[in-house]
Amino acid sequence: DRSLLKANLGMLLELGQADSSNVYEKDFEQLFLVTTAEFYKLESLSYLSQNSATDYVAKATKRLEEERDRALALALPSSTEGPLQNIVETELIEKHARTLVDMENSG
Protein backbone atom coordinates (compact mmCIF):
# COMPACT_ATOMS: atom_id res chain seq x y z
CA ASP A 1 0.00 0.00 0.00
CA ARG A 2 1.62 3.20 -1.23
CA SER A 3 -0.03 5.45 1.36
CA LEU A 4 1.28 3.29 4.20
CA LEU A 5 4.79 3.35 2.74
CA LYS A 6 4.62 7.13 2.33
CA ALA A 7 3.53 7.50 5.96
CA ASN A 8 6.38 5.28 7.18
CA LEU A 9 8.97 7.17 5.15
CA GLY A 10 7.59 10.44 6.50
CA MET A 11 7.85 9.07 10.03
CA LEU A 12 11.52 8.16 9.52
CA LEU A 13 12.25 11.63 8.16
CA GLU A 14 10.44 13.32 11.06
CA LEU A 15 12.18 11.18 13.66
CA GLY A 16 15.55 12.14 12.23
CA GLN A 17 14.67 15.83 12.23
CA ALA A 18 13.31 15.73 15.77
CA ASP A 19 16.50 14.46 17.37
CA SER A 20 19.08 15.06 14.61
CA SER A 21 19.68 11.32 14.36
CA ASN A 22 19.24 11.08 10.57
CA VAL A 23 17.23 7.88 11.00
CA TYR A 24 16.05 7.97 7.40
CA GLU A 25 19.54 8.32 5.96
CA LYS A 26 21.28 5.91 8.33
CA ASP A 27 18.69 3.15 8.58
CA PHE A 28 16.81 3.28 5.29
CA GLU A 29 18.18 5.31 2.40
CA GLN A 30 21.48 3.53 1.73
CA LEU A 31 19.95 0.05 2.01
CA PHE A 32 17.08 1.12 -0.25
CA LEU A 33 19.44 2.44 -2.93
CA VAL A 34 21.71 -0.62 -2.82
CA THR A 35 18.72 -2.97 -3.00
CA THR A 36 17.22 -0.99 -5.87
CA ALA A 37 20.49 -1.18 -7.83
CA GLU A 38 20.63 -4.95 -7.36
CA PHE A 39 16.97 -5.33 -8.40
CA TYR A 40 17.45 -3.37 -11.63
CA LYS A 41 20.73 -5.12 -12.37
CA LEU A 42 19.03 -8.52 -12.24
CA GLU A 43 15.88 -7.36 -14.01
CA SER A 44 17.84 -5.73 -16.84
CA LEU A 45 19.97 -8.83 -17.44
CA SER A 46 16.91 -11.05 -17.50
CA TYR A 47 14.89 -8.78 -19.77
CA LEU A 48 17.84 -8.15 -22.10
CA SER A 49 18.45 -11.86 -22.58
CA GLN A 50 14.84 -12.50 -23.58
CA ASN A 51 13.87 -9.49 -25.70
CA SER A 52 14.82 -7.38 -28.68
CA ALA A 53 16.64 -4.07 -28.33
CA THR A 54 13.43 -2.23 -29.20
CA ASP A 55 11.44 -4.05 -26.52
CA TYR A 56 14.21 -3.54 -23.97
CA VAL A 57 14.36 0.22 -24.60
CA ALA A 58 10.57 0.46 -24.27
CA LYS A 59 10.74 -1.44 -20.96
CA ALA A 60 13.61 0.72 -19.68
CA THR A 61 11.75 3.90 -20.60
CA LYS A 62 8.67 2.65 -18.79
CA ARG A 63 10.70 1.77 -15.69
CA LEU A 64 12.30 5.23 -15.59
CA GLU A 65 8.85 6.83 -15.73
CA GLU A 66 7.53 4.48 -13.05
CA GLU A 67 10.39 5.37 -10.69
CA ARG A 68 9.86 9.10 -11.24
CA ASP A 69 6.14 8.72 -10.55
CA ARG A 70 6.79 6.58 -7.47
CA ALA A 71 9.32 9.08 -6.10
CA LEU A 72 6.74 11.86 -6.47
CA ALA A 73 3.91 9.80 -5.00
CA LEU A 74 6.02 8.82 -1.99
CA ALA A 75 7.43 12.33 -1.61
CA LEU A 76 10.97 10.98 -1.49
CA PRO A 77 13.52 13.57 -0.42
CA SER A 78 15.89 14.88 -3.09
CA SER A 79 18.74 13.07 -1.30
CA THR A 80 17.06 9.85 -2.43
CA GLU A 81 15.30 10.86 -5.63
CA GLY A 82 18.43 11.99 -7.52
CA PRO A 83 20.54 8.93 -6.69
CA LEU A 84 17.54 6.68 -7.37
CA GLN A 85 17.14 8.06 -10.90
CA ASN A 86 20.88 7.71 -11.47
CA ILE A 87 20.77 4.07 -10.37
CA VAL A 88 17.87 3.25 -12.69
CA GLU A 89 19.55 5.01 -15.64
CA THR A 90 22.88 3.31 -14.96
CA GLU A 91 21.49 -0.21 -14.48
CA LEU A 92 18.98 -0.09 -17.33
CA ILE A 93 20.73 2.06 -19.93
CA GLU A 94 24.39 2.89 -19.37
CA LYS A 95 25.54 -0.62 -18.51
CA HIS A 96 23.82 -2.09 -21.57
CA ALA A 97 24.23 0.65 -24.19
CA ARG A 98 26.93 -1.19 -26.17
CA THR A 99 25.02 -4.49 -26.03
CA LEU A 100 21.84 -2.80 -27.26
CA VAL A 101 23.65 -1.12 -30.17
CA ASP A 102 25.30 -4.42 -31.13
CA MET A 103 22.10 -6.48 -30.97
CA GLU A 104 20.77 -7.88 -34.21
CA ASN A 105 18.10 -5.65 -35.79
CA SER A 106 18.71 -2.90 -33.24
CA GLY A 107 18.62 -0.27 -36.00
Side-chain angles (χ1 to χ4, degrees), residues 21 29 40 45-46 58 80 87-88 94 96-97 104:
S21 66
E29 185 177 51
Y40 280 116
L45 291 171
S46 174
T80 306
I87 286 168
V88 177
E94 290 176 25
H96 302 294
E104 191 174 322

Side-chain angles (χ1 to χ4, degrees), residues 90-105:
T90 298
E91 294 298 333
L92 295 182
I93 299 168
E94 290 176 25
K95 288 188 175 180
H96 302 294
R98 174 56 40 204
T99 302
L100 289 165
V101 168
D102 292 343
M103 285 176 79
E104 191 174 322
N105 299 321

